[in-house]
């Protein structure tokens, strides 16, 4: 039985490779100069193109931010899915929190794009935002495994973890002063939730 080999779409491959090159250059600029410093002219120069030519691959600068937003959430989801399965839900929540804090602290520009409104007027597309909602759903699942499902508790958890990340990035970029507090903060949160649930019980 002969195997049929489909012809390669070289044009599509070149298009995808150029988009990847543009995104890589955009990340380099953001990491060197800050998220708000991304300029089409400088980006084009980095990839050997005129600024106008970039629009054949991304219709706007916001479209570049959107692609960066989507791939960042995909990377976070990928890392979460690679976590080892842990039977103890509390330890699983601690591990998830450690991973999240490390992910945020390792790339301040990426953290700002995902969790702060740093770019005036930018809103992720529905497709990109769906990935962010998937990240949030993963957090909800980890909390539910610990017996926590209240919407206010979920809000508190996201504020706690993202707040630690913000403190780390703002006050000691590249360090771990606030990242080291992850387990303690997780245990304090869980203790508070257990006490609140006990007080609610008649």
């Amino acid at each position: 039985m002969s195997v049929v080999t489909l012809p390669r779409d070289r044009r599509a491959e070149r298009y995808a490779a150029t988009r990847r090159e543009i995104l890589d250059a955009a990340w380099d600029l953001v990491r060197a100069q800050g998220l708000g410093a991304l300029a089409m002219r400088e980006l084009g120069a980095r990839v050997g193109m005129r600024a106008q030519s970039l629009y054949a691959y991304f219709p706007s600068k916001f479209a570049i931010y959107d692609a960066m937003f989507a791939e960042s959430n995909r990377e976070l989801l990928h890392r979460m899915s690679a976590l080892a399965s842990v039977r103890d839900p509390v330890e699983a929540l601690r591990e998830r929190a450690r991973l999240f804090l490390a992910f945020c602290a390792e790339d301040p520009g990426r953290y700002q794009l995902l969790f702060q409104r740093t770019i005036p007027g930018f809103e992720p597309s529905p497709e990109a935002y769906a990935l962010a909602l998937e990240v949030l759903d993963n957090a909800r699942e980890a909390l539910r495994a610990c017996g926590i499902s209240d919407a206010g508790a979920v809000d508190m958890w996201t504020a706690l973890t993202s707040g630690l990340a913000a403190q780390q990035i703002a006050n000691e970029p590249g360090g771990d002063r606030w990242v080291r507090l992850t387990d303690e903060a997780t245990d304090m949160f869980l203790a508070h939730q257990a006490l609140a649930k006990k007080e609610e019980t008649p």
Side-chain angles (χ1 to χ4, degrees):
M1 180 177 177
S2 61
V3 177
V4 177
T5 303
L6 297 176
R8 291 171 57 186
D9 188 342
R10 297 183 185 276
R11 179 176 296 180
E13 289 176 3
R14 287 194 298 269
Y15 180 84
T18 302
R19 274 179 60 94
R20 181 70 263 162
E21 184 182 4
I22 293 169
L23 282 175
D24 287 343
W27 279 118
D28 288 343
L29 279 171
V30 164
R31 287 165 181 150
Q33 301 178 17
L35 191 61
L38 184 62
M40 298 298 272
R41 180 174 296 179
E42 187 172 358
L43 180 57
R46 288 217 172 194
V47 295
M49 300 169 63
R50 292 187 300 176
Q52 295 90 330
S53 299
L54 295 175
Y55 295 106
Y57 300 92
F58 295 95
S60 68
K61 185 162 69 171
F62 280 1
I64 296 176
Y65 284 128
D66 191 65
M68 296 166 75
F69 183 92
E71 75 175 17
S72 297
N73 277 297
R74 286 193 196 97
E75 174 62 21
L76 180 53
L77 288 167
H78 172 73
R79 295 192 194 184
M80 288 177 178
S81 68
L83 280 174
S85 179
V86 178
R87 291 198 174 198
D88 179 10
V90 171
E91 182 55 33
L93 185 66
R94 290 194 194 103
E95 287 199 2
R96 188 191 181 284
R98 291 182 208 122
L99 184 150
F100 177 78
L101 265 293
F103 179 84
C104 292
E106 74 185 22
D107 192 331
R110 183 177 62 193
Y111 167 80
Q112 291 170 351
L113 178 63
L114 290 180
F115 304 112
Q116 296 181 337
R117 292 185 175 271
T118 309
I119 308 301
F122 170 67
E123 293 287 344
S125 65
E127 296 79 11
Y129 193 62
L131 296 167
L133 292 178
E134 190 174 344
V135 171
L136 182 58
D137 284 343
N138 281 353
R140 289 194 181 105
E141 289 177 12
L143 291 168
R144 275 197 296 269
C146 295
I148 299 168
S149 57
D150 178 72
V154 175
D155 287 345
M156 184 183 294
W157 174 252
T158 58
L160 178 65
T161 52
S162 61
L164 284 173
Q167 285 286 87
Q168 185 62 64
I169 290 168
N171 295 291
E172 192 189 52
D176 67 350
R177 179 178 171 186
W178 279 268
V179 171
R180 289 200 312 268
L181 301 176
T182 305
D183 282 2
E184 182 180 356
T186 301
D187 292 344
M188 288 174 61
F189 169 82
L190 291 172
H192 171 76
Q193 294 302 319
L195 179 60
K197 185 174 292 188
K198 184 177 180 180
E199 291 175 347
E200 289 175 359
T201 303

